Amino acid sequence: MAKRVTAESAAPLVPPKPTLPRLREAAAGCKACDLWERGTQTVFGAGSRPARAMFVGEQPGNEEDLAGQPFVGPAGRLLDKALAEAGIDRGQTYVTNVVKHFKWEPRGKRRIHAKPNAQEIRACRPWLDAEIAVVKPDVIVCLGATAAQSVLGAAFRVSQRRGEVVPSPLAPKVIATVHPSSILRAPDDESRRLETRRFVDDLKKVAKVLGPA
Ligand code: SF4
């Protein structure tokens, strides 16, 4: 069992010679923001290393919190289907989130997603930076505004620049698109179908940037 350490940033917890197993173990004991009290467990990233593409979302959801694995709930299933449709091998990807604990508020018996604030995002950022350094992705794909603004800066607007290849010191290429959970919240079947199509089109741009495996 990893020891818990309190700080305002996760930086002091990042091991000096990080590997994914070492990072995962250290992050399991993170108390760098208050979210550790609300979530069931730290949900660290998962996937291949090195990975050609790293997908970054906002935070784990209800199912991910319980399973301890990222992108295993409804949004993850939509992502898996869209990746297959875009021709991206899931085995060559790594999936993670900007914030590693589920932030939620009670509504009756349900736990409803709550947006992480700037302090929580800042506190958790060293885990993402360490994952990027170890995984060394060719492309980082930001899923939704929280991930895009965290990686590309607060002024970045997914609505205006989705699917665009953006230069970044973090990876050779960064592309932002919507979070699959936003597609699941579409008001009707037709808009969900259209939004899924646009999402797959963005992932096809990622596939094109990656080139042949
Ligand atoms: S959300 Fe991130 S910084 Fe906050 S306690 Fe969890 S792992 Fe640590």
Side-chain angles (χ1 to χ4, degrees):
M1 172 80 85
K3 135 178 116 150
R4 290 215 169 265
V5 182
T6 305
E8 288 186 355
S9 161
L13 304 182
V14 176
K17 288 185 184 165
T19 61
L20 288 178
R22 279 188 206 149
L23 286 169
R24 194 169 291 116
E25 191 191 342
C30 184
K31 272 180 156 180
C33 76
D34 291 341
L35 294 184
W36 71 273
E37 291 180 288
R38 223 179 293 189
T40 305
Q41 57 195 315
T42 305
V43 181
F44 206 71
S48 81
R49 185 202 72 84
R52 301 190 72 212
M54 176 189 264
F55 290 81
V56 184
E58 180 192 80
Q59 62 167 339
N62 185 57
E63 287 190 35
E64 287 82 5
D65 170 74
L66 298 172
Q69 290 288 325
F71 288 96
V72 292
R77 290 191 282 277
L78 198 159
L79 175 64
D80 285 351
K81 277 169 74 176
L83 284 171
E85 221 176 303
I88 297 174
D89 179 0
R90 181 75 163 78
Q92 294 188 341
T93 65
Y94 183 91
V95 291
T96 192
N97 287 294
V98 165
V99 167
K100 313 291 194 228
H101 270 98
F102 178 35
K103 183 173 182 179
W104 58 276
E105 278 155 11
R107 191 173 303 161
K109 288 185 176 166
R110 295 177 62 207
R111 304 190 302 169
I112 302 298
H113 162 275
K115 200 173 159 56
N117 63 35
Q119 193 276 324
E120 291 153 353
I121 292 170
R122 201 167 41 246
C124 212
R125 180 56 188 262
W127 296 124
L128 178 63
D129 286 335
E131 286 176 296
I132 293 170
V134 172
V135 172
K136 297 184 176 50
D138 297 331
V139 182
I140 294 176
V141 185
C142 302
L143 301 170
T146 301
Q149 291 179 350
S150 177
V151 172
L152 294 167
F156 190 89
R157 294 286 172 270
V158 176
S159 54
Q160 292 162 10
R161 302 184 66 186
R162 65 182 289 176
E164 197 180 304
V165 178
V166 184
S168 164
L170 297 175
K173 284 161 185 153
V174 178
I175 294 179
T177 181
V178 296
H179 195 286
S181 63
S182 71
I183 301 171
L184 297 172
R185 289 195 300 272
D188 53 63
D189 287 350
E190 179 57 11
S191 26
R192 200 167 303 119
R193 195 186 63 74
L194 285 173
E195 281 307 311
T196 303
R197 174 56 37 216
R198 288 186 74 198
F199 185 55
V200 170
D201 287 346
D202 287 343
L203 296 188
K204 283 182 178 168
K205 289 176 192 156
V206 174
K208 197 170 168 193
V209 163
L210 287 170

